[in-house]
């Protein structure tokens, strides 16, 4: 079981992801509604794994990734992307993202990644 | 889609009553089986393989048969044979009307000819409609000056709706406007080599017909949560579009926007495509070469 922080501006996406993670026995310790909120929640909750949506207002997922990695270089981050964001995925790899998940979510794939990182 | 379009025509022309039409749809549903199920019953795929293809299909803008071929489960020839077994959507609809004794096959054929004439469709257009392939159907409903990439964008949206929202949707003729007024919307703009926007507005609570099946929720009002679901649906469509056109146009997605309030949209050329879901109408709004401004 992993302690997970979900950062996504979409309530729908947060809820779908939370359901998948909790059904597999993980604990969602907090949710962030944009990148800046996600960074704050990361400091506060110190999760095992953080999921970061790439496209978000205020601070996007890439900026949040850089900020979180500056706080903890060992932080395990899964980037959440819609299809069609290959360039941003490459950027995220450069900045230390551990894995990727593409929307719409495929439950089995998400759980496999969580197990791999736990 | 042809069953809904032609069925509505038959009611309008006084050939069928609304109740008869609904019975025909029910009868047709019994006859139309999903390709995966046919593949499994023909012992060409295992249920587990069909499930894997279904999962992949939820993420990719591809048909079941194409994915099954990519994954090495089926050959092209097998897919062609299975599609034949599945039945042409027009034929299964015509069969249902005839089986129920509402119209004879020759009466249906004559009415189809009248429908073709009334809409100015060519024989090729009619073949496209009968095929059920949204890539071939959507262009028939667009305005003549619509950009090819915009048509591609809208085709992906319609196909994704058929797959993730409701398999029984149908569309009406698109119009070009420079101003659109609505209550409640979800919208996302793509920016890069060019700009494009894709959005949805509804009539009363019609956007719930997208929001609920997509999020697996039971929203009862078009509020921020319901619109967030519609916005996520648009985000998925735009992701598929950006991937598909990546070799031709480099575009990235801006954060989706939505609001449950009165709005006015402005652009030089807004393509408004009516889409009917479970008897309710939503409007798909699309621009290409410019962003849709709220």
């Amino acid at each position: 079981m992993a302690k997970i922080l979900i950062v996504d501006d979409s309530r729908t996406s947060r809820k779908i992801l939370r359901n998948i993670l909790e059904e597999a026995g993980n604990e969602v310790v907090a949710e962030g509604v944009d990148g800046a909120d996600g960074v704050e929640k990361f400091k506060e909750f110190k999760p095992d794994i953080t999921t970061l949506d790439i496209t978000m207002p205020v601070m996007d997922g890439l900026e949040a990734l850089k900020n979180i990695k500056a706080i903890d270089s060992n932080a395990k981050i899964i980037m959440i992307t819609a299809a069609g964001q290959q360039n941003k995925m490459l950027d995220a790899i450069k900045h230390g993202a551990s894995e990727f998940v593409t929307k719409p979510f495929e439950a089995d794939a998400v759980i496999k990644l969580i197990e791999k990182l736990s | 889609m042809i069953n809904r379009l032609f069925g509505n025509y038959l009611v309008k022309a006084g050939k069928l009553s609304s109740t008869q039409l609904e019975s025909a749809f029910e009868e047709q549903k019994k006859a139309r089986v999903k390709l995966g199920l046919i593949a499994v019953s023909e012992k060409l795929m295992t249920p587990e393989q069909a499930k894997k293809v279904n999962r992949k299909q939820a993420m990719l803008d591809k048909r079941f048969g194409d994915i099954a071929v990519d994954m090495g489960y089926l050959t092209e020839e097998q897919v062609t044979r299975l599609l034949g077994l599945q039945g042409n959507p027009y034929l299964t609809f015509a069969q249902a009307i005839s089986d129920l004794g509402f119209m004879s096959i020759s009466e249906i054929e004559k009415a189809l000819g009248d429908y073709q004439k009334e809409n100015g469709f060519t024989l090729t257009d009619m073949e496209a409609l009968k095929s059920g392939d949204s890539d071939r159907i959507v262009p028939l409903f667009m305005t003549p000056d619509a950009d090819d990439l915009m048509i591609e964008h809208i085709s992906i949206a319609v196909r994704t709706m058929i797959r993730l929202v409701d398999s029984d949707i149908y569309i009406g003729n698109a119009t070009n406007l420079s101003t659109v007024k609505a209550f409640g919307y979800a919208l996302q703009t793509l920016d890069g080599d060019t700009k494009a926007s894709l959005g949805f507005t509804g009539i009363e609570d019609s956007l719930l017909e997208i929001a609920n099946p997509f999020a697996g929720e039971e929203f009862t009002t078009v509020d921020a949560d319901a619109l967030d679901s519609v916005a996520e649906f648009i985000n998925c469509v735009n992701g598929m579009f950006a991937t598909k056109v990546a070799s031709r146009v480099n575009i990235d997605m801006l954060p989706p926007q939505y609001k449950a309030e009165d709005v006015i949209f402005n652009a030089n050329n807004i393509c408004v495509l009516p889409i009917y879901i479970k008897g309710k109408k939503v409007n798909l709004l699309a621009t290409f070469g410019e962003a849709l401004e709220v």
Side-chain angles (χ1 to χ4, degrees):
Chain A
M1 188 191 84
K3 289 196 295 176
I4 300 170
L5 164 65
I6 297 174
V7 186
D8 197 312
D9 58 317
S10 162
R11 177 197 167 277
T12 304
S13 282
R14 291 198 305 271
K15 186 165 182 252
I16 293 172
L17 192 52
R18 176 185 274 270
N19 287 344
I20 292 172
L21 295 170
E22 289 182 344
E23 267 182 33
N26 297 287
E27 185 191 355
V28 176
V29 290
E31 294 182 3
V33 297
D34 58 48
D37 187 32
V39 174
E40 288 309 310
K41 295 273 165 58
F42 179 85
K43 287 184 203 163
E44 189 182 341
F45 291 92
K46 300 181 177 56
D48 301 326
I49 298 168
T50 302
T51 71
L52 281 179
D53 184 30
I54 283 200
T55 308
M56 288 187 288
V58 185
M59 180 193 285
D60 71 12
L62 274 177
E63 279 307 306
L65 169 70
K66 291 178 202 167
N67 278 277
I68 290 174
K69 282 287 181 180
I71 297 164
D72 176 1
S73 60
N74 294 318
K76 293 172 184 168
I77 313 277
I78 298 177
M79 302 304 290
I80 308 289
T81 73
Q85 295 186 300
Q86 282 80 356
N87 290 342
K88 288 193 172 175
M89 285 188 203
L90 291 176
D91 267 359
I93 289 172
K94 273 187 221 158
H95 289 96
S98 310
E99 294 291 347
F100 291 92
V101 169
T102 308
K103 288 182 189 176
F105 299 115
E106 191 186 348
D108 289 356
V110 173
I111 297 308
K112 269 186 193 159
L113 284 186
I114 296 292
E115 284 169 0
K116 189 176 156 190
L117 293 180
S118 294
Chain B
M1 201 178 294
I2 179 72
N3 58 347
R4 297 279 159 180
L5 294 165
F6 181 47
N8 288 345
Y9 168 79
L10 291 174
V11 172
K12 217 169 97 186
K15 309 278 185 196
L16 284 184
S17 69
S18 304
T19 320
Q20 285 176 323
L21 181 62
E22 285 310 314
S23 311
F25 290 150
E26 284 306 311
E27 185 73 13
Q28 189 194 11
K29 261 187 212 159
K30 287 182 211 158
R32 191 166 172 80
V33 184
K34 287 192 171 173
L35 204 66
L37 193 66
I38 303 172
V40 171
S41 75
E42 290 291 302
K43 312 271 182 239
L44 295 173
M45 288 173 73
T46 64
E48 187 50 39
Q49 287 173 333
K51 217 171 149 187
K52 279 186 186 166
V53 175
N54 282 329
R55 277 192 220 122
K56 264 229 150 50
Q57 204 184 6
M59 297 164 56
L60 299 171
D61 180 42
K62 279 189 164 183
R63 296 172 187 87
F64 184 96
D66 295 336
I67 296 173
V69 170
D70 288 349
M71 293 175 81
Y73 296 148
L74 295 175
T75 65
E76 296 277 0
E77 292 72 28
Q78 286 170 330
V79 171
T80 308
R81 188 167 78 77
L82 292 174
L83 287 170
L85 290 173
Q86 188 183 33
N88 170 309
Y90 166 70
L91 290 179
T92 53
F93 178 60
Q95 186 69 52
I97 299 173
S98 155
D99 285 352
L100 290 167
F102 297 151
M103 291 171 78
S104 69
I105 292 289
S106 59
E107 285 170 334
I108 298 168
E109 281 302 309
K110 187 185 174 304
L112 188 71
D114 295 341
Y115 170 77
Q116 178 187 343
K117 263 184 226 153
E118 192 173 303
N119 288 280
F121 289 136
T122 65
L123 279 176
T124 317
D125 295 344
M126 291 306 289
E127 285 309 312
L129 276 173
K130 286 180 182 178
S131 73
D133 181 349
S134 46
D135 284 357
R136 294 170 67 194
I137 294 172
V138 167
L140 307 178
F141 293 84
M142 301 298 289
T143 54
D145 58 345
D147 187 281
D148 285 347
L149 278 170
M150 181 200 268
I151 297 176
E152 219 171 314
H153 197 179
I154 293 175
S155 295
I156 291 174
V158 170
R159 194 181 325 139
T160 310
M161 281 183 95
I162 290 171
R163 214 171 61 219
L164 300 180
V165 173
D166 188 301
S167 58
D168 251 349
I169 64 164
Y170 64 96
I171 60 179
N173 286 320
T175 46
N176 285 334
L177 297 171
S178 54
T179 302
V180 174
K181 288 182 188 176
F183 174 82
Y185 74 96
L187 167 76
Q188 188 176 35
T189 292
L190 298 129
D191 197 4
D193 292 346
T194 186
K195 281 184 198 288
S197 297
L198 185 75
F200 283 98
T201 62
I203 290 145
E204 293 174 352
D205 64 354
S206 65
L207 284 178
L208 295 180
E209 301 301 334
I210 301 176
N212 285 339
F214 184 70
E217 295 265 8
E218 289 300 328
F219 299 118
T220 51
T221 51
V222 182
D223 56 13
D225 288 342
L227 291 172
D228 176 84
S229 170
V230 179
E232 276 303 289
F233 171 76
I234 296 170
N235 193 29
C236 289
V237 170
N238 283 341
M240 291 174 196
F241 175 65
T243 305
K244 196 170 178 197
V245 300
S247 60
R248 288 170 277 166
V249 191
N250 185 18
I251 36 177
D252 194 15
M253 290 164 278
L254 302 180
Q257 316 163 36
Y258 53 84
K259 263 187 188 152
E261 57 187 47
D262 286 315
V263 282
I264 300 174
F265 295 98
N266 290 302
N268 289 323
N269 203 348
I270 310 170
C271 170
V272 182
L273 180 79
I275 301 180
Y276 300 87
I277 317 168
K278 296 199 189 317
K280 293 187 178 178
K281 179 181 166 186
V282 300
N283 281 320
L284 178 153
L285 309 184
T287 57
F288 198 82
E290 59 178 332
L292 189 54
E293 303 290 344
V294 183

